[in-house]
Amino acid sequence: MSVAVRVIPCLDVDRGRVVKGVNFTNLVDAGDPVELARAYDAEGADELTFLDVTASSSDRETTFDVVRRTAEQVFIPLTVGGGVRSTDDVNRLLRAGADKVGVNTAAIARPELLGECSQRFGAQCIVLSVDARRVPAGGRPTPSGFEVTTHGGRTGTGIDAVEWAARGQELGVGEILLNSMDADGTRTGFDLDLITRVRAVVDVPLIASGGAGATEHFPPAVAAGADAVLAASVFHFGQLRIGEVKDELRAAGVEIR
Amino acid sequence: MSRIVVLDYGSGNLRSAERALQRVGADVEVTSDHRAAMEADGLVVPGVGAYAACMEGLNAVRGGRIIGRRLAGGRPVLGICVGMQILFDRGIEHGQLTEGCGEWPGTVERLQADVVPHMGWNTVRAPEGTRLFAGLDADIRFYFVHSYGVQKWELEPSDRIRPPLVTWAEHGGEFVAAVENGPLSATQFHPEKSGDAGATLLRNWLDTL
């Protein structure tokens, strides 16, 4: 027996409400992140991720409140990312009840932030979130052919995505959340090439994200080296259930909880 | 109702531990107050992050003394994650040796595995006679997140003391996942984050108080 591959639903939270369609039955309030978190917990989710998409920093108090209320009612690990800019932001989220905090854009501007966070709070609670895409035609080539993006995948940075993941590990992060912006929303499967390349250079846990559309998409992501698989809309729309994904993984010989 | 103190010494995850204990019926206070910590029916010592930082925080509230005095009086203590690790003699992180509370001999060292931290849900091998894992299936999983562990149990067997019950788990190699030793119990995993399995374990612990 070994550690189980984790299946992680991700909720986009805007000003304390879940955005993107949610099609859960039997919920009193399908827009309440806390209630959805409870529903996913009951379905067998191994961990939860909140992506805070609140634009204005003045509205971010609502996020802390959501994290606080979720941590009070859901007894599985909770990761929160989105808009994290400083060690103080990380501290507030951890104190509100997050177990791990995802850092993305702010680390691109100032990579030392990753080291500062992992030194202060421990590597185990700092996740580097990498939004990667294939360098588009006409873009500046990178060694791996993948680059880090910002602004939801719209803006290329010219930074090699594979090297960036390795750098994150060097700087002390405890996990990599690898999101393929090319696959994201396509529901045609994970970007296996990207997962394989990043797996080859990091030995911290790797979460694969982007592209899940059917249960059979999950085992290949694990075979490519993912320690955990994350999806958003396919779970929210009820197109896939957590249990179905786990059944598929189990049938493929993958250990699950 | 059992009165539990979660020792507040600046380490994270206090809220989760507090809520998980309340969920199984405990009356919980999060504090570093010496007297409250001494008088509680059970003391929980949480801990996340670096060994050295945890020991520093623990020393600042004289936590080692609280733990030692409680144990001298046979009063239960439960260490969680780094809160378990600091009960051993020492931790070595990045080549830096930090002295622990020394309740058990042994060294906390980096796990040797392909992927570290060991993060996620894993099974454990509990010994016969365990009370913490009573009523839990052998293939039940708990949530772990750690890069270091005790990979060798060093307490010499003796006819004069009842041997502690040691539960093992595996990631790369074997490491200590839990210890039950009279009033002193500890888990390397996070029962407060381990869903219903963790709730059962915490309830089992409360039942021993």
Side-chain angles (χ1 to χ4, degrees):
Chain A
M1 301 288 259
S2 57
V3 66
V5 165
R6 288 166 283 153
V7 178
I8 307 172
C10 175
L11 299 170
D12 285 5
V13 179
D14 184 6
R15 285 166 292 173
R17 303 286 295 170
V18 176
V19 291
K20 286 188 181 170
V22 170
N23 190 21
F24 257 105
T25 49
N26 304 324
L27 287 187
V28 178
D29 179 359
D32 178 13
V34 182
E35 194 163 350
L36 266 166
R38 271 209 305 260
Y40 279 126
D41 178 16
E43 277 209 342
D46 296 310
E47 200 172 303
L48 293 165
T49 292
F50 284 170
L51 181 61
D52 182 12
V53 296
T54 308
S56 155
S57 56
S58 60
D59 290 328
R60 302 197 111 238
E61 281 306 319
T62 55
T63 307
F64 297 113
D65 182 53
V66 163
V67 172
R68 211 170 284 124
R69 288 190 294 123
T70 305
E72 280 175 2
Q73 297 180 42
V74 180
F75 300 94
I76 58 174
L78 173 65
T79 303
V80 184
V84 175
R85 291 186 176 80
S86 64
T87 53
D88 279 349
D89 289 345
V90 175
N91 190 36
R92 289 189 70 190
L93 287 167
L94 292 175
R95 293 192 75 87
D99 297 289
K100 295 185 272 184
V101 173
V103 184
N104 191 336
T105 313
I108 296 168
R110 206 173 68 80
E112 308 80 59
L113 176 63
L114 298 174
E116 291 163 14
C117 288
S118 74
Q119 261 163 34
R120 180 161 164 200
F121 309 108
Q124 84 292 335
C125 65
I126 305 301
V127 183
L128 175 61
S129 185
V130 180
D131 291 340
R133 71 173 178 190
R134 286 187 164 71
V135 178
R140 178 151 47 107
T142 63
S144 71
F146 291 94
E147 70 173 335
V148 179
T149 68
T150 59
H151 302 87
R154 293 190 303 276
T155 311
T157 62
I159 298 167
D160 188 288
V162 177
E163 287 175 4
W164 177 232
R167 177 93 195 280
Q169 171 169 312
E170 262 168 45
L171 288 165
V173 304
E175 189 168 41
I176 307 282
L177 168 55
L178 181 62
N179 189 27
S180 164
M181 303 314 289
D182 298 320
D184 195 36
T186 63
R187 300 193 182 180
T188 53
F190 293 90
D191 189 329
L192 303 179
D193 185 23
L194 177 62
I195 297 167
T196 306
R197 283 164 180 271
V198 172
R199 174 78 289 165
V201 299
V202 302
D203 51 22
V204 295
L206 177 62
I207 307 172
S209 164
T215 55
E216 58 265 33
H217 291 153
F218 290 85
V222 175
D227 300 292
V229 285
L230 179 144
S233 56
V234 284
F235 288 140
H236 306 331
F237 286 113
Q239 190 182 343
L240 294 180
R241 318 300 292 194
I242 303 279
E244 293 172 340
V245 171
K246 289 195 167 185
D247 287 345
E248 184 82 26
L249 287 167
R250 189 190 290 112
V254 175
E255 277 194 43
I256 50 102
R257 178 170 73 111
Chain B
M1 187 189 281
S2 300
R3 289 177 308 118
I4 305 300
V5 161
V6 175
L7 190 65
D8 182 1
Y9 62 95
S11 186
N13 217 6
L14 303 178
R15 191 175 196 88
S16 301
E18 178 189 12
R19 282 292 299 129
L21 285 156
Q22 285 171 344
R23 181 192 181 199
V24 294
D27 174 10
V28 188
E29 186 184 357
V30 179
T31 180
S32 61
D33 181 74
H34 195 277
R35 186 160 172 189
M38 285 305 297
E39 288 181 351
D41 297 319
L43 177 71
V44 172
V45 182
V48 296
Y51 195 99
C54 278
M55 275 313 295
E56 196 179 314
L58 197 66
N59 289 335
V61 301
R62 305 174 86 176
R65 198 169 75 158
I66 295 172
I67 294 168
R69 286 193 176 174
R70 280 190 64 95
L71 295 176
R75 315 216 6 102
V77 175
L78 173 66
I80 295 175
C81 197
V82 183
M84 167 175 125
Q85 296 179 357
I86 52 94
L87 296 170
F88 286 84
D89 273 343
R90 66 193 78 81
I92 300 172
E93 293 189 345
H94 309 292
Q96 181 196 358
L97 190 148
T98 305
E99 199 174 319
C101 294
E103 299 297 342
W104 294 312
T107 305
V108 179
E109 291 177 281
R110 190 164 172 88
L111 300 173
Q112 300 299 319
D114 292 342
V115 175
V116 176
H118 173 220
M119 192 182 290
W121 300 76
N122 210 338
T123 53
V124 301
R125 210 175 65 246
E128 226 161 280
T130 173
R131 293 185 71 182
L132 281 184
F133 297 91
L136 289 163
D137 293 338
D139 60 352
I140 201 82
R141 290 177 184 269
F142 295 91
Y143 187 77
F144 290 83
V145 47
H146 61 123
S147 300
Y148 298 82
V150 174
Q151 290 149 69
K152 190 162 167 259
W153 179 254
E154 294 180 10
L155 189 65
E156 296 288 340
S158 152
D159 313 339
R160 289 188 297 271
I161 56 166
R162 183 186 297 205
L165 297 176
V166 182
T167 294
W168 295 86
E170 200 173 322
H171 185 66
E174 290 208 310
F175 65 88
V176 175
V179 184
E180 297 161 71
N181 183 194
L184 185 57
S185 304
T187 65
Q188 176 62 70
F189 54 83
H190 288 274
E192 78 281 14
K193 283 286 159 187
S194 295
D196 292 342
T200 299
L201 184 134
L202 290 174
R203 199 178 293 114
N204 285 345
W205 180 66
L206 292 181
D207 286 345
T208 68
L209 304 185

